[in-house]
Amino acid sequence: MAVSTLPRSARRRAPRVLVAVLALSAIVPAAGVSAGENDDRLEQRQRRTKVEIGDVEQRLVELRETIAAEQRASTTLQVQIAEAARALGEAQSAFDETQQQLMSLRSELVVIEAEHAEIQTRLADRALVAVELAEGPAALEFVLESQSLTEAGDRLEFLNQMQVADDALADEAAVAAEMLDRKRRLEQAELARQVELVEVLDTEEERLAAALVDQQWRLDAIADAKQEAQRLLSQLSAHAEELAEREFSVPAGGGATFGTWAKSFLQYIDAPTCSDNVVIMVTWQVAEFTEARWNPLATTLDMPNATVFNSHGVRNYVSLEQGLEATHQTLLRGAETYGYGAVLQGLKRCADRMVTANAIRASSWCAGCASGAYVTGLVPIVERYWERYANESAWD
């Protein structure tokens, strides 16, 4: 994953050129004004111009440092957002698991409670029979009514078997009661775990929200700094404006949003611009968050007249078309060796966004980034703040 950095500052030639032009203009005296007065006025004008240029230069240096610092902080926040999103996803999965466990336990409890109630009813019924037959005169009369010793023995055995059956039923009731108690304890444990997970979910949501707010503030600060830089530079000559092009790496035709570039790339590779594809391409750009010109996915493939953006070899491309081609060629060339083929296939068939996201994560594009949640961890964040990210531009 390429880290967003500003290019090295170009030498400030414009102010020296401007001063030189002003110095040459001092040779020609103004009509109707003495040479001495003209020299004084020109000297004053040169001094004012030098002061103005110096002030602008100093402010541009400050703005450049501000932009660089905010971009570094934004990149760090991007990692924190991905980690928070991953942690939130894990907590949500664990919470969902407890929900499933509770549903399963409660279903089992309904069955066990019904069985236990049925056994208790049978025990109550058998107890009444036992009282009538197995105790006192009723039991004795039952045996004495026998017509023979054999029948008497059978009746005694019957009474004995009833007692055995009652004991077995009592044991069954005890087992059911123990099972019921164990399931209820499990239910209470799952409920307690769910309460803990709700606290974790709340904490992670707050952490994620705070990081998103912080990043929003920093992105706004970067945009404000760039606007101020452009306003200051517009006060200078065409030379100073040319200097600004180099100082702040403003590309010709820059300003394409993440959403616009996503659709352009999908059309370029003949993939459908369906919702899943657009979302995943915008999320991929958010995951990289680079300011390399016309190169929002931070590929390092060299192209004619492309320049080096950072120490990782990420390129600045000369046009949208060249950036699209470079990105496409990178994916094609690494289809087999780096696992990019699955990414292209997902885009071509408009696969579910998480299927394509997992293909990107599993590829070598940025293996292991964002604690193993590269792109995948940001999908729900981009979906939640779609307007912000789809309309974000790394080249404003």
Side-chain angles (χ1 to χ4, degrees):
M1 177 168 60
V3 178
S4 297
T5 56
L6 288 173
R8 296 180 183 274
S9 302
R11 294 181 181 178
R12 301 183 180 83
R13 297 193 182 94
R16 293 190 178 88
V17 173
L18 186 58
V19 172
V21 171
L22 291 172
L24 288 173
S25 67
I27 299 174
V28 183
V33 181
S34 67
E37 290 176 347
N38 187 65
D39 288 345
D40 288 341
R41 290 180 180 178
L42 285 175
E43 185 177 352
Q44 292 175 1
R45 181 180 173 185
Q46 288 176 1
R47 283 199 297 268
R48 285 197 303 270
T49 302
K50 287 180 179 180
V51 170
E52 291 174 359
I53 291 174
D55 290 344
V56 170
E57 279 189 309
Q58 180 59 38
R59 183 56 183 156
L60 287 174
V61 170
E62 294 172 358
L63 288 172
R64 185 173 63 252
E65 292 174 350
T66 297
I67 292 171
E70 294 298 340
Q71 285 173 334
R72 288 193 298 270
S74 181
T75 300
T76 300
L77 282 169
Q78 198 69 19
V79 174
Q80 293 176 4
I81 288 170
E83 290 177 348
R86 177 183 57 78
L88 183 61
E90 290 177 352
Q92 185 65 56
S93 295
F95 180 83
D96 293 341
E97 182 182 342
T98 63
Q99 283 288 83
Q100 292 294 328
Q101 289 286 349
L102 281 171
M103 290 175 61
S104 177
L105 282 170
R106 284 167 179 169
S107 296
E108 293 176 11
L109 275 171
V110 169
V111 174
I112 295 171
E113 284 172 346
E115 291 177 351
H116 186 259
E118 192 270 337
I119 292 171
Q120 291 295 338
T121 301
R122 286 165 57 195
L123 276 173
D125 292 341
R126 296 292 291 273
L128 290 175
V129 174
V131 168
E132 293 177 358
L133 296 180
E135 296 180 3
L140 180 59
E141 183 180 349
F142 176 71
V143 174
L144 292 176
E145 287 178 350
S146 303
Q147 300 298 317
S148 66
L149 289 176
T150 301
E151 184 181 352
D154 290 341
R155 291 194 176 196
L156 285 172
E157 180 62 24
F158 171 74
L159 292 174
N160 182 59
Q161 289 300 321
M162 282 186 62
Q163 185 62 45
V164 171
D166 288 346
D167 292 343
L169 191 59
D171 290 342
E172 187 178 348
V175 170
E178 183 181 355
M179 178 67 73
L180 191 60
D181 182 64
R182 187 166 66 86
K183 291 296 182 181
R184 284 173 175 165
R185 281 187 277 109
L186 285 173
E187 181 187 33
Q188 291 302 314
E190 287 298 324
L191 285 170
R193 181 173 175 235
Q194 194 173 70
V195 170
E196 294 176 357
L197 287 171
V198 167
E199 294 179 356
V200 172
L201 278 170
D202 290 342
T203 300
E204 293 301 334
E205 284 180 350
E206 290 175 2
R207 183 162 74 100
L208 180 58
L212 286 168
V213 169
D214 195 0
Q215 189 189 53
Q216 178 70 53
W217 183 86
R218 294 185 184 281
L219 290 174
D220 290 341
I222 291 172
D224 291 344
K226 288 183 177 181
Q227 288 177 3
E228 182 182 354
Q230 292 299 327
R231 180 179 59 78
L232 291 173
L233 291 167
S234 67
Q235 299 174 9
L236 300 178
S237 66
H239 298 290
E241 292 178 354
E242 181 181 354
L243 172 64
E245 290 284 323
R246 294 195 300 272
E247 290 278 9
F248 288 91
S249 298
V250 179
T257 65
F258 285 174
T260 300
W261 190 92
K263 292 179 181 178
S264 297
F265 179 73
L266 292 168
Q267 291 169 349
Y268 191 82
I269 66 173
D270 294 324
T273 55
C274 58
S275 174
D276 283 298
N277 277 355
V278 175
V279 167
I280 208 61
M281 291 308 300
V282 168
T283 305
W284 199 350
Q285 294 173 80
V286 172
E288 288 295 338
F289 226 82
T290 176
E291 285 200 342
R293 278 177 288 176
W294 302 118
N295 186 12
L297 298 189
T299 179
T300 59
L301 183 65
D302 197 16
M303 299 290 279
N305 300 317
T307 59
V308 176
F309 171 69
N310 63 17
S311 60
H312 297 283
V314 174
R315 293 303 197 260
N316 287 313
Y317 296 121
V318 299
S319 66
L320 171 63
E321 182 81 10
Q322 189 181 70
L324 295 173
E325 176 64 16
T327 304
H328 190 204
Q329 285 299 320
T330 301
L331 291 172
L332 286 175
R333 296 179 186 184
E336 298 295 332
T337 52
Y338 296 115
Y340 303 153
V343 178
L344 288 171
Q345 289 174 10
L347 295 174
K348 292 285 187 177
R349 60 186 179 88
C350 188
D352 180 85
R353 60 196 64 177
M354 290 309 300
V355 171
T356 307
N358 276 298
I360 296 170
R361 179 190 57 77
S363 74
S364 300
W365 195 278
C366 197
C369 291
S371 301
Y374 179 66
V375 177
T376 57
L378 286 175
V379 171
I381 307 307
V382 170
E383 290 175 330
R384 184 181 302 179
Y385 298 92
W386 175 251
E387 289 300 321
R388 170 63 193 175
Y389 284 117
N391 296 313
E392 175 64 32
S393 173
W395 310 306
D396 286 340

